[in-house]
Amino acid sequence: MQDIAILFEDNHLLGIVKPVNIPTQADASGDEDLLNLLKKDLRQRYAKPGNVYLGLVHRLDRPVGGAMIFAKTSKAASRLSDAVRIRKLEKTYLAVVRGKPAHIEGRLKDTLLKDERTNTVSIVPTGTMGGKEAILDFKVVGYAAEQNLSLVRVKLLTGRSHQIRVQLSGIGCPLYGDQKYGAELNTPGEQLALWSVYVGFPHPVSKTPVDLISLPPRVFPWSLWDERICKQAAEDSVAGDNE
C-alpha cells in the first residue's frame, strides 16, 4: 500500500490525504482503488477478521488529491450523508487555472448535464431534462503573470461530477493540466492542478467541529506561490471567511 497520510481517526471516522491518480472507488480501469486500500489497511492495523466497513461519504476525481473523510460505521455514514444533504459538510479546494477570471471573486451558478457514455459534463440551459444545479464560490488568491496562471480558492455549495473543472472552464479559465475540459490550452502529461484543502463538518456523534486540512504538494504549478498563501486559503475556510 502506498503511503497515505492520516489527518484524523477515531472509532467513527477516518480522514486521509488522497494521493493523485488513484480512483476513489473501483472503476472500469481495474486499478487498485482508495476505498479498498484503506479497508485493507484497517484490517491489518486492527487485526480485524472478515470484511471491514468503510463508508464513502464524498468523492474526488482520480487526478485530484487532498483531504477526504470516510465513515467507519454505518451510523456515522448516515449522519455524514445527512450533513452533505443539508450543506453542513463544507469542502474547499485550491485550483490552478489558465488565465485570470474576469472578477477576483464571485459565485458561479450553472446547470450541468453528465453524459454517462463519455463520462463528460457540460453546461446546459436551465430546465434541461436531467440537468442538475451546480453552485460554487471562487476567489483568486494569487496570479503568476509570466505563466498566466491563477491560484483560485473554490468553495463547493453543491457536489456535482467534475463541477469545478466544468464551471471554471465555462468562464474561460480551464484548470492547469485538464485534458478533458481544457485540451486546447493544456499539454498531455501535465498533472491536473486541483486539490482538496479543507473538509469541515460537525462530528456525527460528538457534534464537535472536525476540520481536515491538506496543502498541495510543493511541485509545479503549486510551487509558483508561497505555501503560506495555500495555508491561508485553508485556514480562511475553517474561520468561515468564504461563506
Side-chain angles (χ1 to χ4, degrees):
M1 170 174 165
Q2 58 180 296
D3 190 23
I4 297 177
I6 295 175
L7 298 174
F8 179 92
E9 185 175 11
D10 64 8
N11 291 333
H12 312 280
L13 304 172
L14 177 64
I16 59 94
V17 177
K18 177 190 176 294
V20 298
N21 300 328
I22 179 173
T24 299
Q25 61 186 138
D27 62 14
S29 73
D31 294 339
E32 201 158 30
D33 63 280
L34 183 62
L35 187 60
N36 277 310
L37 280 171
L38 292 173
K39 284 182 178 181
K40 287 179 186 176
D41 179 58
L42 288 171
R43 191 179 299 120
Q44 291 169 358
R45 282 198 290 129
Y46 295 106
K48 287 178 174 277
N51 291 327
V52 170
Y53 179 87
L54 195 63
L56 187 61
V57 178
H58 63 115
R59 293 168 175 78
L60 293 178
D61 290 349
R62 182 175 183 137
V64 182
M68 281 192 77
I69 188 68
F70 292 82
K72 292 171 70 175
T73 67
S74 56
K75 178 190 284 188
S78 175
R79 291 180 178 176
L80 283 178
S81 293
D82 286 342
V84 171
R85 182 175 51 79
I86 62 175
R87 299 183 180 176
K88 290 292 186 182
L89 189 145
E90 298 184 12
K91 294 180 283 184
T92 302
Y93 296 76
L94 279 174
V96 179
V97 303
R98 298 284 183 180
K100 183 188 275 188
H103 303 283
I104 293 298
E105 59 185 306
R107 172 167 291 185
L108 301 181
K109 199 171 184 179
D110 297 294
T111 300
L112 303 185
L113 182 66
K114 184 172 184 178
D115 184 333
E116 298 289 350
R117 183 178 54 84
T118 61
N119 191 33
T120 55
V121 178
S122 55
I123 297 174
V124 296
T126 302
T128 299
M129 185 178 295
K132 295 182 178 179
E133 184 179 59
I135 308 170
L136 63 78
D137 289 338
F138 74 90
K139 183 176 183 179
V140 179
V141 295
Y143 180 64
E146 187 176 336
Q147 294 83 6
N148 193 25
L149 295 173
S150 297
L151 182 64
V152 181
R153 186 184 73 191
V154 178
K155 178 178 179 180
L156 279 182
L157 300 179
T158 55
R160 308 304 180 199
S161 182
H162 297 181
Q163 179 179 340
I164 295 172
R165 298 163 66 181
V166 175
Q167 288 194 278
L168 290 178
S169 180
I171 61 169
C173 295
L175 269 64
Y176 175 92
D178 195 344
Q179 304 301 319
K180 190 166 281 191
Y181 303 106
E184 69 283 357
L185 293 176
N186 290 308
T187 303
E190 293 173 339
Q191 176 63 47
L192 181 76
L194 181 60
W195 196 267
S196 170
V197 294
Y198 173 73
V199 177
F201 53 91
H203 191 283
V205 177
S206 69
K207 308 306 180 188
T208 55
V210 177
D211 298 305
L212 308 181
I213 290 178
S214 172
L215 301 184
R218 302 306 297 160
V219 297
F220 188 88
W222 304 108
S223 56
L224 290 170
W225 295 278
D226 192 299
E227 191 172 38
R228 287 173 296 182
I229 295 175
C230 298
K231 188 176 181 183
Q232 189 63 56
E235 291 176 349
D236 285 347
S237 300
V238 177
D241 179 68
N242 59 347
E243 289 293 335

